[in-house]
Amino acid sequence: MNPSIILTGTTVEEPAKRLLKAGALEATFDSGALRWIRWNGVEILRGISFLVRTPSWGTPAPVVSNLLIDEQELGFDVRYDAYFGEAGKGVLAKISFKARADGNLEATADISADAPFSTNRTGFVILHPLIGFAGTEVGVEHASGLHEQITIPLQISPGQPVMDIQAITHHPYPGLNVSTRFAGDVFEMEDHRNWSDASFKTYSRPIGLPYPYWLNPGVPVGQSVTVTIKDERVGGAAENPVAVPVLAGQVLPGYALPLDRLEDASDALRFADALADVKPASILLRYDAARGDTTAAVADLAELLRQTGASLDVEAILDGDEPATAGAALHALAQALTDKGIVVANVAACAKIDEQSFQPEEARPSHLSEKQLASALSSAFPQSRHGGGTPAFFTEFNRKRPNPALVDYFAFATTPVVHAADDASVIETLQSLPHILHSAQNLSDGVSLAVGPVGIGARLNPYGPAPVDNSSEERVGMAAQDPRQRGLFAAAWHVGYLAQLAPWGVARFAFGAPTGPFGLVASRQDYARDGWDALPDGALYPLYHVARWISEAGGGEVVSAGIDGNVAQVTWEKHGERRALFANLSTESVAIDLAGEVAASGIVLDEESFETAVLDRETFHVPKPLSGTARIGAYGVLSLNYGNAP
């Protein structure tokens, strides 16, 4: 199989990146944006880019032409033309980046439309990183002329933490002052952590103004962003403000295998033997009465539960605002499950409208209240634990703020492809998870948390009518069908996710699916799967093995966990043994030092072992003795058994 398919599920390669330097100032030029802007090696901005957002909040890729890069010792200049939309009916932006070694960086854009062009937002987007910004005091100069000092909150803001911005000054470490000044529009800041982006986003056209709006021909628009750096070298780099020590006795979450539709149980049964080896703690059924789900496949669900040994969790989505109708739907589901001998361990109910996103103070259409949902659950499932939260992402949980007094647990999900879908941005979303868990725990008031289903793609789209089409099998924002889910990339990313969840005492971690775009098991689909269509049904995606290892770890006592550079790790003790998972979050191989571990054995999932992992799970899951150093290839995973716990 093509190495690119093994790693990322697609033969489509990302554009090459180029490091640019101007003395102590450096940035990476990537697809028209400046990323990872650093001063003396310290990241001061996550990025500066120019974006066009469509009326459905899509982010079309531009056609780039006339690219010129002039790099000299004391500075670099970048110029290019970016055209968005259909030829003759789109928008042209002439972009320029100029950096100087004295600590000045300027970005300018001259924007013109060929025809009336509808957009929700067109202009520069500036990203501030989490470290050295979240939880710190910054200076803000407002467009109104007011100057003030404010603290960027550690708790994730449901709305805009800073409004009406003309300039903002932050301090990545004491004595380093980074001023970012905006011209050409009024800017405001969004807390990107809501969507698991590892940044704060400053953008133009305030969200409070009507949108979409029009860019008209003959009415050119100009924007600029000027960054000024002053370094008095008082201190070193800032620390992560929400780094959390692992608490004694903390346990790893149980693994839940999602079933996005009840009828998916029928297809899952074809591979029940492989799924039984995963041993999921539960199967998480999404039952959407609003889309017309029926209980016709309950017998297949009962058989799947029997063969996997899993309990059943349910997420019920209810339409309308009539409690009687919602209650009848839940009772019908409960009766159908009971008739097949299925006991529901946990059941959450959410209003269908909560799949959509609303601004914090925005009026919502009439829908079932939390009290009505809680009452309906108590009536239909009196013996189960009852949940709430959102069927969508943390953003929607944060904005609606459910009542902890009404439920036994809260559930929410994330997807890494809301704002950017390139590989680096998806990996970076792992940095935001401690911030999300910190904020979610504060909102839950002691109620336990259940995370997922998560994945590289988006199962739903709160910001548009449906997930974006990705029939081209590329890296596309807000698409459910993401090819990386089939590659080693997804295996490493999900281990990274667990490494960030581990210290927080989350009760349930749901990811994957039996088959399909999020599947653990490969089977023929109604879309082409590069490389995989040549393999027999029942071949295993790399994520299958990660699900198996994470399922085995559920309930283990955490010893250590986190991400250090490009390596994610979580170590735990269970049944008298110490075990660990390591994931390589980069395209370069990494070495894991096993010095002092005299009885270690393990399994490496990477490009070298890929064929065996895909086609022969029994052989693959036989551990091999390890000592000294274990090397993991690009996006590889190491499952390690240290033997008896100390």
Side-chain angles (χ1 to χ4, degrees):
M1 191 178 289
N2 185 299
S4 292
I5 296 175
I6 292 173
L7 295 181
T8 61
T10 176
T11 57
V12 178
E13 300 282 354
E14 291 190 316
K17 300 174 177 61
R18 179 171 172 178
L19 180 64
L20 303 174
K21 295 185 177 183
L25 178 63
E26 61 182 29
T28 299
F29 184 68
D30 180 17
S31 302
L34 290 187
R35 303 182 69 176
W36 309 298
I37 301 167
R38 297 171 292 276
W39 177 259
N40 282 322
V42 175
E43 186 179 22
I44 59 173
L45 292 176
R46 179 56 51 100
I48 302 175
S49 59
F50 185 91
L51 300 179
V52 169
R53 303 300 298 272
T54 67
S56 62
W57 292 108
T59 310
V63 175
V64 174
S65 60
N66 301 323
L67 173 62
L68 295 173
I69 300 178
D70 180 18
E71 186 177 12
Q72 300 180 14
E73 183 177 353
L74 296 180
F76 62 79
D77 292 358
V78 178
R79 287 177 289 160
Y80 67 92
D81 295 341
Y83 194 86
F84 300 84
E86 185 181 347
K89 299 180 181 180
V91 170
L92 174 66
K94 291 184 173 293
I95 309 295
S96 169
F97 297 114
K98 295 182 178 180
R100 298 295 175 261
D102 60 1
N104 286 281
L105 171 63
E106 183 179 28
T108 62
D110 295 319
I111 309 160
S112 57
D114 291 336
F117 187 89
S118 181
T119 178
N120 280 358
R121 185 178 297 157
T122 292
F124 279 117
V125 169
I126 296 82
L127 303 179
H128 285 82
L130 302 184
I131 296 178
F133 194 77
T136 71
E137 187 176 80
V138 302
V140 179
E141 179 183 335
H142 295 284
S144 61
L146 175 67
H147 292 248
E148 63 174 342
Q149 295 291 121
I150 66 170
T151 297
I152 301 298
L154 278 182
Q155 184 74 16
I156 297 175
S157 172
Q160 287 73 25
V162 191
M163 309 283 281
D164 186 36
I165 305 171
Q166 185 164 298
I168 186 166
T169 300
H170 76 289
H171 314 281
Y173 58 76
L176 179 59
N177 304 309
V178 180
S179 173
T180 307
R181 180 169 295 275
F182 310 94
D185 205 341
V186 176
F187 284 68
E188 64 187 24
M189 181 178 291
E190 187 171 69
D191 198 332
H192 245 198
R193 296 174 296 175
N194 273 297
W195 296 272
S196 76
D197 298 77
S199 59
F200 290 79
K201 179 179 73 176
T202 304
Y203 58 91
S204 64
R205 180 91 178 174
I207 197 71
L209 296 179
Y211 61 88
Y213 62 99
W214 293 94
L215 296 174
N216 292 306
V219 185
V221 177
Q223 281 192 10
S224 68
V225 179
T226 304
V227 181
T228 304
I229 304 165
K230 295 183 178 179
D231 190 356
E232 299 176 359
R233 299 180 181 275
V234 174
E239 294 182 354
N240 189 336
V242 292
V244 177
V246 176
L247 302 178
Q250 197 67 269
V251 298
L252 290 172
Y255 169 61
L257 175 63
L259 201 64
D260 292 325
R261 289 177 179 268
L262 185 51
E263 54 263 37
D264 292 346
S266 305
D267 191 47
L269 278 176
R270 296 198 294 136
F271 312 105
D273 59 336
L275 296 174
D277 283 347
V278 174
K279 297 182 175 64
S282 62
I283 287 175
L284 174 59
L285 169 66
R286 177 182 172 84
Y287 184 82
D288 190 345
R291 71 183 173 196
D293 286 6
T294 72
T295 58
V298 167
D300 288 338
L301 173 62
E303 181 61 16
L304 183 64
L305 292 169
R306 186 190 70 79
Q307 292 199 38
T308 59
S311 63
L312 180 66
D313 294 351
V314 176
E315 182 183 74
I317 312 300
L318 303 171
D319 206 1
D321 57 5
E322 291 295 329
T325 303
L330 286 178
H331 274 282
L333 174 62
Q335 188 62 54
L337 295 171
T338 299
D339 288 347
K340 296 300 180 183
I342 299 174
V343 176
V344 177
N346 302 286
V347 56
C350 300
K352 183 69 173 179
I353 196 66
D354 288 338
E355 288 183 343
Q356 300 177 31
S357 189
F358 297 87
Q359 290 294 317
E361 305 303 324
E362 186 177 359
R364 296 169 182 252
S366 179
H367 62 284
L368 294 164
S369 71
E370 291 178 73
K371 285 187 177 180
Q372 290 168 333
L373 290 168
S375 176
L377 283 177
S378 295
S379 176
F381 295 93
Q383 305 303 318
S384 306
R385 293 179 71 250
H386 301 145
T390 177
F393 307 136
F394 173 79
T395 317
E396 288 64 54
F397 177 69
N398 195 25
R399 287 178 169 178
K400 190 169 184 180
R401 304 289 177 98
N403 184 353
L406 296 175
V407 294
D408 300 308
Y409 67 95
F410 281 131
F412 62 85
T414 70
T415 179
V417 293
V418 175
H419 293 110
D422 62 282
D423 293 349
S425 293
V426 171
I427 293 294
E428 283 177 348
T429 60
L430 299 174
Q431 299 172 15
S432 73
L433 296 180
H435 295 252
I436 288 175
L437 271 297
H438 172 264
S439 296
Q441 281 197 344
N442 288 340
L443 294 175
S444 69
D445 194 27
V447 171
S448 66
L449 298 174
V451 175
V454 306
I456 305 299
R459 280 176 159 87
L460 53 81
N461 183 2
Y463 322 109
V468 175
D469 174 70
N470 188 20
S471 54
S472 60
E473 288 280 286
E474 298 182 9
R475 296 162 175 83
V476 176
M478 293 307 299
Q481 183 181 315
D482 193 299
R484 287 169 294 188
Q485 193 75 17
R486 303 191 292 266
L488 288 168
F489 186 98
W493 185 83
H494 283 81
V495 172
Y497 207 115
L498 178 69
Q500 297 290 63
L501 285 185
W504 296 91
V506 172
R508 184 180 73 203
F509 182 27
F511 63 86
T515 59
F518 294 92
L520 305 182
V521 182
S523 63
R524 188 77 56 177
Q525 300 295 315
D526 58 3
Y527 52 86
R529 299 167 303 139
D530 225 352
W532 289 92
D533 285 338
L535 299 180
D537 276 8
L540 303 175
Y541 295 128
L543 188 60
Y544 169 89
H545 304 288
V546 165
R548 185 165 166 171
W549 290 326
I550 289 178
S551 181
E552 291 172 354
E557 185 173 324
V558 181
V559 175
S560 63
I563 297 176
D564 184 6
N566 291 324
V567 177
Q569 71 86 20
V570 54
T571 302
W572 68 93
E573 293 177 1
K574 185 177 180 180
H575 303 320
E577 290 187 338
R578 176 167 290 190
R579 300 189 63 179
L581 284 174
F582 293 85
N584 179 1
L585 302 176
S586 75
T587 58
E588 302 295 327
S589 66
V590 298
I592 306 300
D593 185 8
L594 303 177
E597 302 298 338
V598 295
S601 63
I603 303 168
V604 175
L605 172 64
D606 63 8
E607 190 173 346
E608 288 188 10
S609 61
F610 181 81
E611 183 176 351
T612 303
V614 166
L615 298 175
D616 187 352
R617 70 177 186 276
E618 291 186 4
T619 299
F620 176 75
H621 276 276
V622 175
K624 297 179 180 179
L626 297 172
S627 62
T629 299
R631 184 160 291 277
I632 315 174
Y635 299 131
V637 175
L638 166 64
S639 172
L640 192 62
N641 189 340
Y642 292 115
N644 294 334

